[in-house]
Short mmCIF file of all heavy atoms in Angstrom, two decimals:
data_model
loop_
_atom_site.label_atom_id
_atom_site.label_comp_id
_atom_site.label_asym_id
_atom_site.label_seq_id
_atom_site.Cartn_x
_atom_site.Cartn_y
_atom_site.Cartn_z
N ASP A 31 85.10 247.79 82.00
CA ASP A 31 83.91 247.99 82.82
C ASP A 31 82.97 246.79 82.68
O ASP A 31 82.44 246.26 83.67
CB ASP A 31 83.22 249.29 82.36
CG ASP A 31 82.23 249.83 83.39
OD1 ASP A 31 82.26 249.41 84.56
OD2 ASP A 31 81.42 250.69 83.00
N VAL A 47 75.75 249.43 89.54
CA VAL A 47 76.26 250.60 88.81
C VAL A 47 77.73 250.76 89.15
O VAL A 47 78.18 250.38 90.23
CB VAL A 47 75.51 251.92 89.17
CG1 VAL A 47 74.14 251.95 88.52
CG2 VAL A 47 75.43 252.14 90.67
N THR A 48 78.48 251.32 88.22
CA THR A 48 79.89 251.63 88.46
C THR A 48 79.95 252.95 89.20
O THR A 48 79.40 253.96 88.72
CB THR A 48 80.63 251.77 87.11
OG1 THR A 48 80.34 250.64 86.30
CG2 THR A 48 82.14 251.90 87.32
N VAL A 49 80.59 252.97 90.37
CA VAL A 49 80.71 254.23 91.12
C VAL A 49 82.10 254.84 90.96
O VAL A 49 82.24 256.07 91.04
CB VAL A 49 80.34 254.04 92.60
CG1 VAL A 49 81.40 253.27 93.37
CG2 VAL A 49 80.10 255.39 93.28
N ALA A 50 83.12 254.01 90.75
CA ALA A 50 84.49 254.56 90.63
C ALA A 50 85.36 253.64 89.78
O ALA A 50 85.17 252.42 89.76
CB ALA A 50 85.10 254.70 92.03
N ILE A 51 86.28 254.29 89.10
CA ILE A 51 87.31 253.57 88.32
C ILE A 51 88.65 254.15 88.79
O ILE A 51 88.87 255.36 88.66
CB ILE A 51 87.13 253.79 86.80
CG1 ILE A 51 85.74 253.30 86.36
CG2 ILE A 51 88.22 253.09 86.02
CD1 ILE A 51 85.43 253.57 84.89
N ASP A 52 89.48 253.30 89.38
CA ASP A 52 90.72 253.78 90.01
C ASP A 52 91.96 253.20 89.34
O ASP A 52 91.96 252.05 88.90
CB ASP A 52 90.73 253.39 91.49
CG ASP A 52 89.60 254.05 92.27
OD1 ASP A 52 89.29 255.22 91.98
OD2 ASP A 52 89.02 253.38 93.16
N ARG A 74 87.75 243.10 96.59
CA ARG A 74 87.13 243.42 97.88
C ARG A 74 85.61 243.30 97.75
O ARG A 74 85.04 243.75 96.75
CB ARG A 74 87.50 244.86 98.27
CG ARG A 74 86.82 245.35 99.53
CD ARG A 74 87.18 246.80 99.84
NE ARG A 74 86.38 247.29 100.94
CZ ARG A 74 85.20 247.89 100.83
NH1 ARG A 74 84.67 248.09 99.63
NH2 ARG A 74 84.54 248.29 101.89
N ILE A 75 85.00 242.67 98.76
CA ILE A 75 83.54 242.67 98.84
C ILE A 75 83.19 243.48 100.07
O ILE A 75 83.52 243.11 101.21
CB ILE A 75 82.98 241.24 98.95
CG1 ILE A 75 83.40 240.41 97.73
CG2 ILE A 75 81.45 241.28 99.06
CD1 ILE A 75 82.96 238.95 97.76
N GLY A 76 82.56 244.65 99.87
CA GLY A 76 82.20 245.52 100.98
C GLY A 76 80.75 245.30 101.38
O GLY A 76 80.15 244.26 101.07
N ARG A 77 80.17 246.29 102.06
CA ARG A 77 78.77 246.16 102.49
C ARG A 77 77.82 246.25 101.30
O ARG A 77 76.96 245.41 101.12
CB ARG A 77 78.43 247.24 103.54
CG ARG A 77 77.16 246.95 104.32
CD ARG A 77 76.87 248.05 105.33
NE ARG A 77 76.27 249.21 104.70
CZ ARG A 77 74.97 249.35 104.43
NH1 ARG A 77 74.13 248.40 104.76
NH2 ARG A 77 74.50 250.43 103.85
N THR A 78 78.03 247.29 100.48
CA THR A 78 77.15 247.46 99.30
C THR A 78 77.94 247.51 98.00
O THR A 78 77.35 247.62 96.94
CB THR A 78 76.33 248.77 99.42
OG1 THR A 78 77.23 249.89 99.36
CG2 THR A 78 75.51 248.82 100.71
N SER A 79 79.27 247.43 98.10
CA SER A 79 80.08 247.57 96.89
C SER A 79 81.09 246.43 96.75
O SER A 79 81.44 245.78 97.74
CB SER A 79 80.85 248.90 96.93
OG SER A 79 81.88 248.87 97.90
N VAL A 80 81.50 246.21 95.52
CA VAL A 80 82.59 245.27 95.26
C VAL A 80 83.64 245.98 94.40
O VAL A 80 83.32 246.85 93.59
CB VAL A 80 82.12 243.98 94.54
CG1 VAL A 80 81.19 243.18 95.42
CG2 VAL A 80 81.48 244.29 93.21
N THR A 81 84.89 245.60 94.62
CA THR A 81 85.99 246.16 93.82
C THR A 81 86.63 245.03 93.02
O THR A 81 86.99 243.99 93.59
CB THR A 81 87.05 246.81 94.73
OG1 THR A 81 86.40 247.78 95.56
CG2 THR A 81 88.14 247.49 93.91
N VAL A 108 84.91 249.85 90.87
CA VAL A 108 84.06 249.69 92.05
C VAL A 108 82.60 249.73 91.59
O VAL A 108 82.18 250.69 90.92
CB VAL A 108 84.30 250.80 93.10
CG1 VAL A 108 83.48 250.52 94.36
CG2 VAL A 108 85.79 250.92 93.43
N PHE A 109 81.87 248.67 91.92
CA PHE A 109 80.45 248.56 91.56
C PHE A 109 79.62 248.58 92.83
O PHE A 109 80.01 248.00 93.85
CB PHE A 109 80.18 247.25 90.81
CG PHE A 109 80.95 247.10 89.54
CD1 PHE A 109 82.20 246.48 89.54
CD2 PHE A 109 80.46 247.60 88.35
CE1 PHE A 109 82.93 246.35 88.37
CE2 PHE A 109 81.19 247.48 87.17
CZ PHE A 109 82.43 246.86 87.17
N VAL A 110 78.45 249.23 92.75
CA VAL A 110 77.55 249.29 93.91
C VAL A 110 76.24 248.58 93.55
O VAL A 110 75.69 248.78 92.46
CB VAL A 110 77.27 250.76 94.30
CG1 VAL A 110 76.26 250.84 95.44
CG2 VAL A 110 78.56 251.46 94.70
N ALA A 111 75.78 247.73 94.48
CA ALA A 111 74.47 247.08 94.32
C ALA A 111 73.40 248.11 94.65
O ALA A 111 73.48 248.78 95.69
CB ALA A 111 74.38 245.89 95.26
N ILE A 112 72.41 248.24 93.76
CA ILE A 112 71.34 249.22 94.02
C ILE A 112 69.97 248.55 93.95
O ILE A 112 69.79 247.55 93.25
CB ILE A 112 71.39 250.42 93.05
CG1 ILE A 112 71.33 249.96 91.59
CG2 ILE A 112 72.62 251.28 93.30
CD1 ILE A 112 71.00 251.07 90.61
N ARG A 116 67.24 253.03 93.28
CA ARG A 116 68.59 253.38 92.83
C ARG A 116 69.54 253.72 94.00
O ARG A 116 70.60 254.27 93.78
CB ARG A 116 68.58 254.52 91.80
CG ARG A 116 67.75 254.21 90.56
CD ARG A 116 68.05 255.17 89.42
NE ARG A 116 69.43 255.11 88.99
CZ ARG A 116 69.92 254.24 88.11
NH1 ARG A 116 69.13 253.34 87.57
NH2 ARG A 116 71.19 254.25 87.77
N ARG A 117 69.15 253.39 95.22
CA ARG A 117 70.01 253.60 96.39
C ARG A 117 70.77 252.30 96.68
O ARG A 117 70.29 251.21 96.36
CB ARG A 117 69.18 254.02 97.61
CG ARG A 117 68.49 255.37 97.48
CD ARG A 117 69.47 256.48 97.23
NE ARG A 117 70.52 256.53 98.26
CZ ARG A 117 71.73 257.05 98.08
NH1 ARG A 117 72.08 257.57 96.91
NH2 ARG A 117 72.60 257.05 99.06
N PRO A 118 71.98 252.42 97.32
CA PRO A 118 72.76 251.21 97.62
C PRO A 118 72.01 250.25 98.53
O PRO A 118 71.29 250.69 99.45
CB PRO A 118 73.99 251.78 98.34
CG PRO A 118 74.07 253.20 97.93
CD PRO A 118 72.67 253.66 97.72
N VAL A 119 72.16 248.97 98.26
CA VAL A 119 71.57 247.92 99.11
C VAL A 119 72.68 246.95 99.51
O VAL A 119 73.64 246.75 98.76
CB VAL A 119 70.42 247.15 98.40
CG1 VAL A 119 69.22 248.04 98.18
CG2 VAL A 119 70.90 246.55 97.08
N ILE A 121 74.93 243.75 100.05
CA ILE A 121 75.19 242.55 99.24
C ILE A 121 74.91 241.34 100.11
O ILE A 121 75.45 241.21 101.21
CB ILE A 121 76.66 242.54 98.75
CG1 ILE A 121 76.88 243.71 97.79
CG2 ILE A 121 77.01 241.21 98.12
CD1 ILE A 121 78.33 244.02 97.53
C1 COA B 201 76.45 254.55 93.20
C2 COA B 201 75.58 255.48 94.06
C3 COA B 201 74.16 254.89 94.17
C4 COA B 201 76.25 255.53 95.45
O1 COA B 201 75.54 256.45 96.21
P1 COA B 201 76.23 257.02 97.56
O2 COA B 201 75.25 257.93 98.20
O3 COA B 201 77.59 257.51 97.25
O4 COA B 201 76.34 255.70 98.43
P2 COA B 201 77.25 255.41 99.69
O5 COA B 201 78.00 256.61 100.16
O6 COA B 201 76.36 254.68 100.66
O7 COA B 201 78.34 254.38 99.12
C5 COA B 201 77.94 253.10 98.64
C6 COA B 201 79.18 252.26 98.46
O8 COA B 201 79.95 252.80 97.40
C7 COA B 201 81.26 253.07 97.85
N1 COA B 201 81.73 254.27 97.19
C8 COA B 201 81.04 255.44 97.05
N2 COA B 201 81.81 256.33 96.38
C9 COA B 201 82.98 255.70 96.11
C10 COA B 201 84.18 256.08 95.46
N3 COA B 201 84.32 257.31 94.94
N4 COA B 201 85.18 255.20 95.35
C11 COA B 201 85.05 253.94 95.86
N5 COA B 201 83.94 253.50 96.49
C12 COA B 201 82.93 254.39 96.62
C13 COA B 201 81.15 253.24 99.36
O9 COA B 201 82.39 252.99 100.00
C14 COA B 201 80.10 252.21 99.68
O10 COA B 201 80.69 250.91 99.70
P3 COA B 201 80.47 249.86 100.92
O11 COA B 201 79.00 249.87 101.29
O12 COA B 201 80.86 248.53 100.36
O13 COA B 201 81.34 250.31 102.03
C15 COA B 201 75.49 256.92 93.46
O14 COA B 201 76.74 257.56 93.64
C16 COA B 201 75.15 256.89 91.98
O15 COA B 201 74.00 256.61 91.62
N6 COA B 201 76.14 257.20 91.12
C17 COA B 201 75.93 257.10 89.67
C18 COA B 201 76.24 255.67 89.18
C19 COA B 201 76.18 255.58 87.68
O16 COA B 201 75.28 256.10 87.06
N7 COA B 201 77.20 254.89 87.11
C20 COA B 201 77.34 254.80 85.69
C21 COA B 201 78.32 255.81 85.25
S1 COA B 201 78.05 256.32 83.62
#
Side-chain angles (χ1 to χ4, degrees):
D31 197 16
V47 285
T48 310
V49 72
I51 301 176
D52 296 323
R74 175 183 173 270
I75 301 177
R77 196 180 79 83
T78 65
S79 71
V80 295
T81 305
V108 185
F109 300 92
V110 176
I112 57 165
R116 302 195 61 85
R117 295 301 306 155
V119 292
I121 294 165

